[in-house]
Amino acid sequence: MAITVKKFDNIQSDNEKEVSQLEYIGTIDRGLYKVVTKNIRSDKVILLETQKAHIQAQHPEAYEAYKQHIAEVVEIPDYIIKTNRPNSALVLKSFTMDELVFKLVLRLQTPSDPAGFENSIITFMKIDNKEWTRLLRNKKVVYKRDNHH
């Protein structure tokens, strides 16, 4: 799946009131993610430069080697887990052909958020099967893709 990355300017970061560079990652099915929060304002998903820097610093092997999978993780998740942070989803996706499993945190934007914000990736990492199993056992799964085993 080819991903076209477009650069945008002049979007505020969630944490700072400064202008930040971002990448357009893809779109989500708002109907799918409504299990986390109602009234999702947009279907666009972005990655702010500040979050990209965090991912590169904390999980450098994940970002460089697997960034091409990020769009598919948010667009076709295997599992969505509700987090204890408002309007945030923990998204799990496995790529069985490559035997890879990923965890991604997505902050969803609602009408109560300031204008100009989009759904934003907070973090993204490759995880092992033990962590995958632990998350599914201990967390509240609010969505499971039907044809996922």
Side-chain angles (χ1 to χ4, degrees):
M1 167 190 244
I3 300 170
T4 304
V5 177
K6 300 179 197 131
K7 296 277 186 191
F8 290 93
D9 294 314
N10 302 326
I11 302 288
Q12 289 181 324
S13 142
D14 240 0
N15 301 323
E16 301 102 14
K17 296 295 179 217
E18 65 186 39
V19 173
S20 178
Q21 290 277 338
L22 61 87
E23 289 181 26
Y24 171 74
I25 299 299
T27 58
I28 59 166
D29 176 347
R30 287 187 267 185
L32 201 66
Y33 282 87
K34 74 175 188 273
V35 294
V36 175
T37 186
K38 306 277 187 264
N39 303 321
I40 299 170
R41 188 171 57 204
S42 168
D43 62 358
K44 287 188 189 125
V45 176
I46 57 148
L47 176 60
L48 291 164
E49 195 63 42
T50 51
Q51 296 311 125
K52 180 178 172 181
H54 162 80
I55 295 166
Q56 287 171 318
Q58 299 298 314
H59 316 285
E61 73 298 333
Y63 185 77
E64 289 308 319
Y66 307 117
K67 62 186 172 189
Q68 74 274 14
H69 293 301
I70 295 175
E72 194 172 346
V73 172
V74 294
E75 290 174 354
I76 313 167
D78 290 337
Y79 294 94
I80 299 173
I81 296 171
K82 196 169 176 92
T83 73
N84 50 10
R85 301 196 65 175
N87 305 326
S88 293
L90 176 61
V91 183
L92 299 179
K93 175 82 177 168
S94 71
F95 294 86
T96 50
M97 194 170 73
D98 300 327
E99 296 184 14
L100 297 170
V101 288
F102 296 101
K103 172 171 85 171
L104 180 148
V105 176
L106 181 65
R107 170 65 163 82
L108 300 162
Q109 296 303 309
T110 66
S112 62
D113 291 312
F117 289 82
E118 297 291 347
N119 302 309
S120 181
I121 293 168
I122 303 301
T123 195
F124 166 74
M125 68 193 76
K126 180 181 174 291
I127 60 174
D128 60 23
N129 287 317
K130 184 178 175 184
E131 171 73 354
W132 173 275
T133 303
R134 185 191 68 77
L135 288 167
L136 293 177
R137 184 176 58 239
N138 298 332
K139 301 292 182 183
K140 184 180 182 196
V141 174
V142 292
Y143 168 81
K144 178 183 178 188
R145 192 159 61 95
D146 288 339
N147 59 351
H148 186 294
H149 32 273

